[in-house]
Amino acid sequence: MYIKTKRLLIRKFELKDLQAVYEYTSDIRVMKYIPEGVFTEEAAKEFINQNMGDKAEKFPVILKDENILIGHIFFAQYFGEHTYEIGWVFNPNYYNKGYASEAAKAMLEFGFEKMKFHRIIATCQPENIPSYRVMEKIGMRREGYFKKCIPNGQEWWDEYYYAILAEEWNSATSRIK
Ligand SMILES: CC(C)(COP(=O)(O)OP(=O)(O)OC[C@H]1O[C@@H](n2cnc3c(N)ncnc32)[C@H](O)[C@@H]1OP(=O)(O)O)[C@@H](O)C(=O)NCCC(=O)NCCS
């Protein structure tokens, strides 16, 4: 994985990424809706180790000019070989500048245009407005609203389910690029 956009670089994780990853994954505001919850430094190290090789599912997003790691994109097989799931976790110091949308759009372009995937999905809790705004900004449609489907301690979370098909990407690329 080595994808460049106007402002960003998406690559494989390296050992040197630990402190930057630990900084935001240890923040409860960031990890509130992430199933694993906040990371210890040990968990951040394991996360990087698991995502350095060929089986990587998470990819760091780097500010190209400044060489700063600002978050990561999740991109993994979902149903079969041609359906993928995408997700995003970023450092709050860099929110609302369009970085997650820019990175996610580049992953859709890679998935549909290079890998010839059929469908890419994403999910989030309805309270997580920034996350579903990213989904909508990159051209995904809301397909489902699952009520109380995810156990979270003593309560249940609802979940929005979004998707985009290859044919939708192809017909919309001029609009959302
Ligand atoms: C979701 C996340 C990756 C978005 O990162 P980001 O780089 O700020 O995203 P972008 O700047 O590309 O887009 C965010 C959009 O949400 C909008 N937004 C943010 N907070 C908002 C709010 N409270 N109400 C309405 N819109 C809001 C922004 O205005 C922006 O939309 P716009 O460009 O139309 O103005 C980031 O918030 C994050 O890491 N959250 C914690 C981890 C997480 O929950 N991940 C998703 C799990 S499903």
Side-chain angles (χ1 to χ4, degrees), residues 92-159:
N93 293 336
Y94 304 94
Y95 284 177
N96 298 324
K97 296 179 191 307
Y99 290 136
S101 305
E102 186 170 323
K105 203 152 66 174
M107 295 306 291
L108 295 197
E109 185 175 347
F110 168 77
F112 288 128
E113 294 176 25
K114 182 146 195 267
M115 304 304 291
K116 305 292 176 201
F117 292 157
H118 164 65
R119 175 178 160 87
I120 298 176
I121 72 112
T123 68
C124 74
Q125 278 53 67
E127 296 80 6
N128 197 348
I129 302 171
S131 190
Y132 71 75
R133 277 298 301 142
V134 171
M135 295 172 200
E136 288 169 354
K137 284 202 295 177
I138 63 175
M140 301 181 101
R141 282 171 295 100
R142 189 182 301 166
E143 288 190 340
Y145 184 174
F146 298 99
K147 300 281 188 179
K148 296 189 176 179
C149 65
I150 299 183
N152 176 42
Q154 296 306 306
E155 42 179 49
W156 292 91
W157 274 343
D158 294 352
E159 184 157 81

Side-chain angles (χ1 to χ4, degrees), residues 17-28:
D17 297 330
L18 177 61
Q19 276 317 311
V21 168
Y22 180 54
E23 182 180 317
Y24 65 89
T25 55
S26 57
D27 186 334
I28 180 64

Side-chain angles (χ1 to χ4, degrees), residues 15 19 33 44 56 72 79 84 89 94 96 99 102 148 175:
L15 288 174
Q19 276 317 311
Y33 297 112
H72 66 264
F79 281 129
Y84 263 59
V89 182
Y94 304 94
N96 298 324
Y99 290 136
E102 186 170 323
K148 296 189 176 179
R175 179 171 55 81

